[in-house]
Amino acid sequence: MKKNTIVIIGKPNVGKSTLFNRLIGQFKSIVSSEEGVTRDRIYGTFEWLTQSYEIIDTGGYIPKDITKLNDQVKVQAEIAKNQSDLILFMIDAKKEISSNDQILAQNIIKSGKPYVLVVNKLDNLNEEKNFFDHHELGLETPVFISAESGRNVGDLLDRISDFFEDNKDINTVENHDMSLAVIGMPNVGKSSFVNKILNENKSIVSDIAGTTRDSIDSYIKYFKNNIRLIDTAGLRRKTKINDAIEFYSIVRTNRTIDDCDVAAILIDASKGFHNQDKNIIKQVIDSGKGLIVIVNKWDLIEKKTISKDDFKEEMIYRLPTLRHYPIRFISIKNNYKVRSVLEQSIEVFERRNIKMKTKLLNNVFSEIIKEYPPPSTKGKEVSIKYITQIRNSPPLFGIYSNHPELISKTYKKYLINQIRDRFNFEGVPLNISFRKK
């Protein structure tokens, strides 16, 4: 089914991200007075007059800029423009028309793509009446708006709706079975991983740490599973966060962890397993999300110096809980076992959503109790009556006892590990709630 796709392009700091956020109804793109904050394509959806649209926010597009990173920003804008059905070309009414605005306008005309010229930052009717500079661009009649206040945004939506009026193949919001977040420290290969899976350069790949600042959604069908794949900003230690933009990127990544079903944390094999990697893993587990540990850049490791088993054992030694989570080794550069991560993530997702039958659960649980009964405490005998699964995603088990307050943390850990091993909950955080019976 055909998507009605809109792309917003324009110079840096003309208000593209502000308009994007207003249309989708959430703060997904970072908004800042600093130029060039948005670097990747950011995707979102919105509805207007019962129709659904996909909209793409792009990095500030400067045709004359030749720096390495801005060159990739231009590539992202070109890809987005080619994917779209309609272009929203934004200019800033507070600034004079520049040569870059004119180059962009000519590129749009040459592309033959339908477009709407959007003149932003006009807060009242008098400013609108006195603005004539747009005629220099040789484009059709613009829509005057203020993305920040929302002035005339409804008129812009009506213009968009009119364009798509004859298109009846309206695509609904993308459905997905599972959300997989790709997380980790900066420059470990998250964007390269996403691009390799999608077989397209959707995220900017750079040797500059922290290139990805927003969480970027993509959708892929893997066999019968519709997967939402989310590339996220690198998570640094708080002491390393040195500007407001990076702070908000981290906030977005943390929200992505809260929203995902499974998180794949990438670790740079050449740099080893760091304390920050441990902190990120603990955050995922504490959030109740499925977890896969992916050791990337394995091609850079001299096999005579350390084996996969040795590397894995060292990680488990430093963070013992990892023995319950899958650890896989890949090389994005050599395309070594990259897509196997999707298969593994689906398995973890299914285990996280499993609902155990109470009878089977109690039959196995009675064997666990028989092998190692709860120890008596303060002269009182502790008796466990039965167990039931209260919820899934993540699994929570209720254990009913005559003295739940006397069950030690050590015994609780024993029960969790036994349940995990007997029912194969690899990659899934488990929780137990002791209750009075």
Side-chain angles (χ1 to χ4, degrees):
M1 187 175 289
K2 187 179 185 296
K3 290 184 179 180
N4 289 328
T5 306
I6 304 162
V7 62
I8 311 174
I9 68 171
K11 293 189 309 183
N13 213 28
V14 296
K16 298 185 298 297
S17 295
T18 302
L19 177 62
F20 176 88
N21 289 338
R22 179 169 289 280
L23 292 179
I24 69 170
Q26 56 179 295
F27 292 102
K28 189 173 184 181
S29 268
I30 298 173
V31 177
S32 171
S33 58
E34 180 180 328
E35 288 192 355
V37 170
T38 302
R39 293 169 174 173
D40 294 295
R41 286 171 281 159
I42 313 300
Y43 289 69
T45 57
F46 69 92
E47 290 190 5
W48 181 254
L49 301 178
T50 72
Q51 295 187 5
S52 297
Y53 304 93
E54 180 178 63
I55 188 162
I56 310 171
D57 185 18
T58 62
Y61 188 36
I62 312 176
K64 289 189 172 182
D65 198 312
I66 58 173
T67 65
K68 183 177 179 181
L69 188 58
N70 280 325
D71 187 53
Q72 290 214 38
V73 171
K74 287 190 286 183
V75 170
Q76 293 296 322
E78 285 290 347
I79 293 171
K81 187 173 69 176
N82 292 334
Q83 286 182 345
S84 68
D85 300 304
L86 179 66
I87 297 170
L88 301 185
F89 174 36
M90 287 191 74
I91 62 173
D92 184 348
K94 304 293 186 185
K95 296 181 180 179
E96 294 182 358
I97 299 295
S98 68
S99 59
N100 278 326
D101 288 319
Q102 292 173 339
I103 293 171
L104 273 170
Q106 291 305 308
N107 287 346
I108 291 171
I109 293 171
K110 289 177 182 178
S111 74
K113 285 273 187 179
Y115 66 87
V116 176
L117 175 60
V118 181
V119 181
N120 189 31
K121 303 185 184 180
L122 289 172
D123 298 314
N124 57 63
L125 187 60
N126 288 332
E127 290 181 339
E128 182 179 319
K129 288 179 178 179
N130 295 324
F131 185 80
F132 304 103
D133 292 359
H134 66 88
H135 292 296
E136 295 180 30
L137 299 173
L139 300 177
E140 295 180 2
T141 306
V143 177
F144 300 104
I145 71 165
S146 170
E148 186 171 3
S149 69
R151 179 178 178 270
N152 286 348
V153 171
D155 293 343
L156 173 60
L157 288 167
D158 286 339
R159 179 80 72 89
I160 293 170
S161 180
D162 290 342
F163 170 76
F164 287 109
E165 187 176 5
D166 295 331
N167 184 353
K168 303 303 179 184
D169 294 327
I170 302 303
N171 189 54
T172 56
V173 174
E174 192 95 36
N175 292 321
H176 58 277
D177 304 308
M178 178 188 76
S179 292
L180 174 63
V182 183
I183 62 174
M185 293 174 64
N187 216 25
V188 295
K190 298 183 297 297
S191 295
S192 297
F193 173 81
V194 171
N195 289 342
K196 182 68 72 174
I197 291 291
L198 297 173
N199 197 27
E200 65 166 307
N201 293 326
K202 188 167 187 178
S203 294
I204 292 176
V205 177
S206 169
D207 53 8
I208 303 171
T211 302
T212 300
R213 284 176 169 171
D214 290 278
S215 296
I216 305 164
D217 291 8
S218 308
Y219 295 87
I220 185 171
K221 192 173 184 69
Y222 185 73
F223 292 97
K224 296 181 179 180
N225 300 277
N226 295 311
I227 300 175
R228 173 191 175 209
L229 196 61
I230 316 167
D231 184 12
T232 60
L235 287 166
R236 303 174 189 254
R237 296 198 310 270
K238 288 184 179 179
T239 55
K240 296 287 186 180
I241 300 173
N242 52 19
D243 62 49
I245 294 168
E246 188 166 5
F247 170 77
Y248 289 116
S249 295
I250 303 308
V251 171
R252 296 264 159 73
T253 299
N254 292 338
R255 287 179 184 171
T256 298
I257 292 174
D258 290 337
D259 291 341
C260 76
D261 300 302
V262 180
I265 176 172
L266 266 66
I267 293 168
D268 188 334
S270 64
K271 296 180 180 178
F273 188 54
H274 290 266
N275 284 332
Q276 179 61 1
D277 295 319
K278 290 169 58 177
N279 293 336
I280 297 170
I281 288 169
K282 289 176 182 178
Q283 180 182 347
V284 173
I285 294 173
D286 290 344
S287 299
K289 310 302 178 178
L291 174 69
I292 309 168
V293 179
I294 308 299
V295 182
N296 184 31
K297 306 184 184 180
W298 191 244
D299 56 292
L300 300 179
I301 301 301
E302 182 65 44
K303 304 306 185 289
K304 293 180 181 179
T305 60
I306 188 171
S307 67
K308 291 180 182 178
D309 288 341
D310 291 337
F311 197 99
K312 185 185 295 186
E313 286 302 315
E314 174 64 23
M315 292 173 65
I316 293 173
Y317 174 77
R318 297 189 60 193
L319 186 61
T321 191
L322 281 182
R323 66 168 51 91
H324 303 303
Y325 294 86
I327 301 173
R328 298 293 180 264
F329 295 80
I330 70 170
S331 169
I332 297 170
K333 180 182 177 181
N334 295 340
N335 200 18
Y336 173 68
K337 294 191 175 181
V338 175
R339 293 186 75 83
S340 67
V341 176
L342 294 179
E343 182 179 354
Q344 184 76 70
S345 67
I346 291 168
E347 292 174 0
V348 170
F349 173 74
E350 290 173 347
R351 288 194 284 267
R352 185 173 179 266
N353 284 277
I354 196 169
K355 179 68 174 175
M356 304 296 302
K357 292 183 178 180
T358 302
K359 184 177 180 180
L360 173 62
L361 190 58
N362 278 279
N363 288 341
V364 175
F365 195 65
S366 62
E367 296 175 5
I368 296 172
I369 301 300
K370 190 179 296 183
E371 289 179 9
Y372 178 26
S376 299
T377 305
K378 297 180 181 180
K380 294 181 180 179
E381 183 177 343
V382 178
S383 173
I384 292 180
K385 307 299 182 181
Y386 67 93
I387 182 174
T388 185
Q389 186 173 353
I390 298 171
R391 69 155 192 250
N392 55 1
S393 302
L396 172 64
F397 297 94
I399 296 178
Y400 293 82
S401 169
N402 59 339
H403 294 295
E405 74 282 359
L406 298 181
I407 298 176
S408 66
K409 291 182 179 179
T410 303
Y411 194 72
K412 177 182 178 180
K413 189 174 182 180
Y414 161 76
L415 293 178
I416 289 177
N417 289 340
Q418 286 295 312
I419 293 170
R420 182 187 295 282
D421 293 341
R422 304 267 183 137
F423 294 105
N424 186 16
F425 279 105
E426 185 186 29
V428 180
L430 300 183
N431 286 298
I432 286 178
S433 173
F434 291 100
R435 305 183 176 198
K436 179 75 173 178
K437 177 63 177 179

